[in-house]
Amino acid sequence: EKLPGEIVGSDVTLTGSVIGEKMGPYCCVVYYEPAPASYDVPTLNDQFSGPYFDFSDEKAAVVWPWEITFNKEDGSFSVPVNFATVPAAGSYYAQIFLKSDPDSIPYEEKEEGLEVPGPKAVCATSIILSVINKKADASADDLALSSLHVESGTIEERQAMSMAVVGSGKPDPEPISDVEA
């Protein structure tokens, strides 16, 4: 599906579809990283030596399975991301996780003690959203949420680029396999 364009406010809806009948959307976790700041060379050398992690562990939002709308017939889904407040300027990394056996995912009612993303959940896609402070004295209404815009390449290449950016600072997930005897 088309990535969100510019959105003002504290809500964004991500839509898409899964391929095949064996997987269903399980959750969405959104991480926040503050807008980049300007640093002088000595500060860069002091504070940023060693490995670089692409984004923080600060969760800005979590969408649980019972908040996701999923049509098992055609695989389409809708993930409403609702931030508690208007998002601050910076980058937001929305990761949509899938799990096998959609019939076992609690879409209809809240399930206590559920872990997200949880074991056997697979990060299927990542979307980078940016909140841009358009003016120095911007109010909440002046903040806009927009997706990372990549001009060149096929849809698959742009998606791969987005996933590579988000996943490069994380260890590889469990392999995806479905072995039948």
Side-chain angles (χ1 to χ4, degrees):
E1 298 284 328
K2 184 177 178 186
L3 293 175
E6 189 168 84
I7 301 167
V8 177
S10 59
D11 302 328
V12 61
T13 300
L14 307 173
T15 59
S17 60
V18 295
I19 299 171
E21 300 173 358
K22 293 185 178 185
M23 302 291 276
Y26 182 65
C27 68
C28 178
V29 181
V30 182
Y31 296 93
Y32 168 71
E33 184 175 277
S38 297
Y39 297 104
D40 58 16
V41 173
T43 303
L44 286 171
N45 288 335
D46 290 342
Q47 293 183 7
F48 299 100
S49 63
Y52 171 77
F53 298 97
D54 285 327
F55 62 93
S56 74
D57 288 329
E58 183 180 338
K59 288 182 184 174
V62 174
V63 182
W64 299 89
W66 48 88
E67 297 172 315
I68 296 171
T69 303
F70 179 51
N71 181 331
K72 293 178 187 174
E73 299 299 318
D74 66 5
S76 64
F77 62 86
S78 176
V79 180
V81 179
N82 303 303
F83 296 97
T85 61
V86 174
S91 296
Y92 292 81
Y93 301 85
Q95 298 181 331
I96 298 176
F97 290 83
L98 301 181
K99 224 173 179 182
S100 62
D101 188 17
D103 291 331
S104 70
I105 300 172
Y107 294 119
E108 301 301 322
E109 59 186 60
K110 187 174 182 176
E111 186 177 300
E112 295 296 325
L114 192 69
E115 184 182 350
V116 293
K120 298 186 181 178
V122 177
C123 183
T125 191
S126 300
I127 302 167
I128 302 171
L129 303 168
S130 296
V131 173
I132 304 162
N133 190 339
K134 294 182 177 182
K135 299 185 281 189
D137 60 344
S139 68
D141 292 334
D142 295 319
L143 294 175
L145 190 61
S146 63
S147 61
L148 178 69
H149 187 67
V150 180
E151 291 279 338
S152 62
T154 65
I155 291 172
E156 292 83 6
E157 290 169 332
R158 292 192 307 258
Q159 183 65 29
M161 192 179 310
S162 174
M163 291 174 66
V165 168
V166 172
S168 63
K170 292 184 163 190
D172 289 338
E174 293 181 41
I176 302 172
S177 60
D178 187 21
V179 179
E180 295 181 11

